[in-house]
Amino acid sequence: MHSDVMPKEKYKRFCGHDYPVVGVMGLNLMDIPREDIVACLIETVRQNGAARVINANAHCVTLSQKQPWLRELFDKAEIAFCDGAGVQLASMFLTGKNLHRTTPPEWIGNMLSALGGKADIFWLGGEQEVAEKGAAAFAAKYGCRTAGVQHGFFDATPGSPESETVLAKIVAAKPSVLLLNMGMPRQERWLWDNWDRLPPMVAITAGALVDHAAGRVSRPPRWVANLGLEWLVRLSREPTRLWRRYLLGLPRFGLYVLWWRLSALLGKKMV
């Protein structure tokens, strides 16, 4: 926020380090490099600890404008980082802070390689066959173990028989790492509803990671992400599923950015 009186800088402590926290349109995001995410999660898994690892792209920020629980999840998560050029640009425009930007597929391999068999993964989300293929590929590549695989096509309503069955399956498996691949905001909502009932583990909202792991989808070159065009590649690959998110969602996100800027100039509190 640009003003004559600068707000007091906030920090979040994790793994013995203090990381700056930047409020971007109601979401508190840590300014944390991917190398530190990897190091912190390796330490957490080795110590049998617990951590929620979530990320914000433009779609997430847009959803959060109408979803108070999502903003609270970002407040409470042990690691909440910027995943998207749009959010990074919004942060620069609204706060002057250039956040580190990354996405789970960029660093998950380094984390699992270091952990090897200590990483006991439960895969939640995606199609069953695809998730099983992704789990087998990661086990072969990184030496991690598979605690379980569960497709994402179940009734995730809290207390529903299907949701309770899935939760019991995860609790019984006692994984050290839970990869949530159910899409946004379904994976975040499931984590919000069930975190307190899970044993200690590192839970990562990973989106389409399962499709990358299974070789179903390949990541574009890094320079594409650096230019902020990864969304265009995804749209070209899955136009039927993603056209609303990008062709309607991105302009809506832009309008929210402008509204937050105008509100800051007028001294109006948004959320």
Side-chain angles (χ1 to χ4, degrees), residues 69-175:
W69 67 265
L70 189 52
R71 297 193 296 271
E72 289 186 43
L73 176 62
F74 273 78
D75 288 341
K76 294 181 178 181
E78 285 67 32
I79 296 180
F81 62 91
C82 171
D83 173 9
V87 178
Q88 189 180 46
L89 290 172
S91 176
M92 294 173 65
F93 180 61
L94 297 172
T95 74
K97 303 291 186 179
N98 185 13
L99 289 169
H100 285 89
R101 172 168 58 92
T102 187
T103 188
E106 292 179 342
W107 48 261
I108 194 74
N110 292 337
M111 169 188 153
L112 296 179
S113 292
L115 288 170
K118 184 65 175 176
D120 206 6
I121 304 175
F122 195 104
W123 296 75
L124 178 59
E127 299 175 11
Q128 187 69 23
E129 183 178 350
V130 173
E132 290 174 355
K133 185 177 180 180
F138 266 38
K141 186 174 183 178
Y142 302 118
C144 53
R145 298 187 296 172
T146 301
V149 179
Q150 168 64 48
H151 65 76
F153 301 95
F154 64 93
D155 180 4
T157 305
S160 72
E162 290 184 356
S163 183
E164 290 296 308
T165 298
V166 170
L167 183 61
K169 186 177 178 180
I170 297 171
V171 170
K174 296 181 180 178

Side-chain angles (χ1 to χ4, degrees), residues 147-208:
V149 179
Q150 168 64 48
H151 65 76
F153 301 95
F154 64 93
D155 180 4
T157 305
S160 72
E162 290 184 356
S163 183
E164 290 296 308
T165 298
V166 170
L167 183 61
K169 186 177 178 180
I170 297 171
V171 170
K174 296 181 180 178
S176 59
V177 178
L178 173 64
L179 296 178
L180 294 120
N181 303 280
M182 297 194 291
M184 187 179 287
R186 195 164 180 262
Q187 60 196 14
E188 286 79 12
R189 184 70 212 198
W190 191 92
L191 184 61
W192 171 257
D193 290 332
N194 296 288
W195 175 250
D196 291 338
R197 300 178 63 189
L198 294 171
M201 65 180 67
V202 168
I204 304 171
T205 55

Side-chain angles (χ1 to χ4, degrees), residues 174-253:
K174 296 181 180 178
S176 59
V177 178
L178 173 64
L179 296 178
L180 294 120
N181 303 280
M182 297 194 291
M184 187 179 287
R186 195 164 180 262
Q187 60 196 14
E188 286 79 12
R189 184 70 212 198
W190 191 92
L191 184 61
W192 171 257
D193 290 332
N194 296 288
W195 175 250
D196 291 338
R197 300 178 63 189
L198 294 171
M201 65 180 67
V202 168
I204 304 171
T205 55
L209 175 65
V210 65
D211 293 318
H212 294 294
R216 191 178 189 183
V217 176
S218 59
R219 283 186 55 76
R222 179 64 191 176
W223 64 267
V224 173
N226 289 339
L227 290 175
L229 297 176
E230 193 168 4
W231 68 271
L232 188 59
V233 174
R234 294 192 65 193
L235 178 61
S236 68
R237 290 172 174 172
E238 300 181 86
T240 303
R241 186 174 73 88
L242 296 176
W243 73 270
R244 287 182 181 274
R245 174 185 294 193
Y246 293 123
L247 298 186
L248 300 181
L250 288 180
R252 187 181 178 195
F253 171 74

Side-chain angles (χ1 to χ4, degrees), residues 6-115:
M6 294 300 294
K8 183 178 179 180
E9 196 161 14
K10 296 191 297 183
Y11 292 87
K12 179 173 286 189
R13 189 166 185 82
F14 190 62
C15 285
H17 300 280
D18 292 318
Y19 294 98
V21 174
V22 180
V24 182
M25 300 167 66
L27 288 186
N28 286 325
L29 303 178
M30 297 167 68
D31 191 14
I32 181 171
R34 70 173 67 95
E35 297 82 6
D36 285 25
I37 295 176
V38 170
C40 283
L41 296 184
I42 290 171
E43 180 180 342
T44 301
V45 171
R46 286 176 174 167
Q47 294 180 353
N48 299 314
R52 290 157 290 187
V53 186
I54 60 177
N55 58 83
N57 56 22
H59 181 53
C60 178
V61 173
T62 299
L63 292 171
S64 74
Q65 303 305 297
K66 303 292 185 181
Q67 302 290 344
W69 67 265
L70 189 52
R71 297 193 296 271
E72 289 186 43
L73 176 62
F74 273 78
D75 288 341
K76 294 181 178 181
E78 285 67 32
I79 296 180
F81 62 91
C82 171
D83 173 9
V87 178
Q88 189 180 46
L89 290 172
S91 176
M92 294 173 65
F93 180 61
L94 297 172
T95 74
K97 303 291 186 179
N98 185 13
L99 289 169
H100 285 89
R101 172 168 58 92
T102 187
T103 188
E106 292 179 342
W107 48 261
I108 194 74
N110 292 337
M111 169 188 153
L112 296 179
S113 292
L115 288 170

